[in-house]
Amino acid sequence: MVLINESHHDVVTSGGTTMRVFLFHPVIPGYPNAKFPGVVVFSEIYQVTGPVARFARQIAGHGYICAAPSVYHDFEGPDALAYDGPGTDRGNEYKIKKAVTSYDEDAKLCIDLLQGLGTCTGKVGATGMCLGGHLAFRCSLDPRISSAVCYFATDIHSSTLGLGKSDNSLARIPEIKGELAMIFGKMDNHVPPAGRDLIRKTLHEAGRKFSFYEFTWAQHAFIRDEESKGRYDPGLSKICFEILLELFTRTLKTDLGEAVVDDTEIEDIC
């Protein structure tokens, strides 16, 4: 049995703002000294909404301490934005008004928080959807991140995240040490086919460890179970969650030791 304790930590940033980090902590009755890996859960442009909190609870229920930051602390409090026109406009405005260095500091502070908990094993992964998919991708630039699952990550292909709409995520791909799982819908017009091809090609050329998934008929935000404009696909969401669990179980819960180059000769015959 795994139960979940929910709380929050208010973390002061170098800019003097306060970032609220929502914690979803697994608890196993009878095992008060249990330790768990950590996962930073980045939200879409609406901050930590109901769907994001439910996603974090799902992950926590499998034995991970989840930390979900409200990343728009530069502009307002930690409350979620509404899934409506004004909320969408504010979220999109903040996304390109916030400095990329501030996003990166948020990630660092979340990893610091998780690793500072006495109940954390020290291993940390990252995940997120939409804006959060990109932030999980950038979080992987921190060598402490063992793996990341990035759902329909926006702006990587166009380098348009943050103030000035000019990030360097593609250029910094060679710095990523952990393993990635990149998940997209083939009908996602936020990241068109050429953009997905560019991300995959750049990861290949940099020799990174990654899996790349594109699902037929899936649109942007297909895992969001609320206000998804008819795009929510529970079947695909379940499959993608299994992808997440496989990667996190293998890289966060298992001591793999040092990685070595796989020089296994691949046969050309069946």
Side-chain angles (χ1 to χ4, degrees):
M1 177 184 290
V2 179
L3 306 178
I4 301 169
N5 278 348
E6 297 185 29
S7 62
H8 68 260
H9 285 244
D10 288 334
V11 180
V12 178
T13 70
S14 63
T17 61
T18 299
M19 175 177 65
R20 177 156 294 181
V21 182
F22 295 93
L23 279 186
F24 303 83
H25 197 302
V27 175
I28 301 178
Y31 294 88
N33 300 312
K35 292 190 176 186
F36 307 93
V39 175
V40 186
V41 180
F42 292 99
S43 68
E44 50 194 348
I45 62 169
Y46 303 95
Q47 300 213 102
V48 184
T49 59
V52 174
R54 287 191 287 276
F55 182 53
R57 290 187 194 106
Q58 269 192 299
I59 299 170
H62 287 269
Y64 301 91
I65 307 170
C66 291
S70 291
V71 298
Y72 289 154
H73 54 85
D74 307 75
F75 314 110
E76 60 173 72
D79 293 342
L81 304 180
Y83 287 125
D84 59 15
T88 300
D89 290 343
R90 277 163 64 200
N92 280 321
E93 175 191 356
Y94 294 158
K95 182 181 76 166
I96 58 173
K97 196 174 177 182
K98 180 181 172 83
V100 173
T101 52
S102 180
Y103 284 123
D104 290 345
E105 183 185 42
D106 294 347
K108 176 187 179 300
L109 291 173
C110 286
I111 299 170
D112 291 345
L113 174 61
L114 286 167
Q115 292 192 329
L117 297 174
T119 51
C120 182
T121 63
K123 284 196 170 185
V124 181
T127 190
M129 58 190 79
C130 189
L131 162 66
H134 192 157
L135 297 183
F137 189 88
R138 281 196 71 87
C139 191
S140 299
L141 297 172
D142 190 309
R144 295 176 292 175
I145 293 295
S146 299
S147 55
V149 181
C150 307
Y151 288 84
F152 34 87
T154 55
D155 298 298
I156 295 176
H157 69 287
S158 54
S159 301
T160 50
L161 177 67
L163 187 63
K165 299 177 72 173
S166 180
D167 68 77
N168 58 359
S169 300
L170 273 180
R172 294 185 64 186
I173 279 177
E175 299 175 40
I176 295 174
K177 305 300 181 186
E179 184 174 342
L180 302 175
M182 307 297 296
I183 297 173
F184 294 97
K186 295 194 77 170
M187 295 179 66
D188 187 343
N189 58 6
H190 292 258
V191 190
R196 300 194 296 271
D197 289 346
L198 176 61
I199 295 169
R200 183 172 48 240
K201 178 175 180 287
T202 308
L203 285 165
H204 267 304
E205 290 176 347
R208 300 303 86 188
K209 299 187 294 291
F210 75 98
S211 298
F212 205 97
Y213 304 90
E214 293 178 278
F215 292 98
T216 303
W217 309 120
Q219 299 183 54
H220 192 70
F222 68 86
I223 69 166
R224 193 171 79 209
D225 64 359
E226 180 182 323
E227 298 293 336
S228 69
K229 301 175 184 176
R231 293 173 289 183
Y232 173 53
D233 189 323
L236 277 187
S237 297
K238 181 178 183 294
I239 291 169
C240 293
F241 194 70
E242 291 297 327
I243 291 169
L244 177 148
L245 290 180
E246 187 281 326
L247 180 57
F248 283 169
T249 299
R250 179 164 46 80
T251 59
L252 300 181
K253 285 189 175 179
T254 306
D255 186 355
L256 297 176
E258 289 295 321
V260 296
V261 176
D262 184 359
D263 56 1
T264 302
E265 184 176 350
I266 300 175
E267 296 182 358
D268 292 327
I269 57 174
C270 297

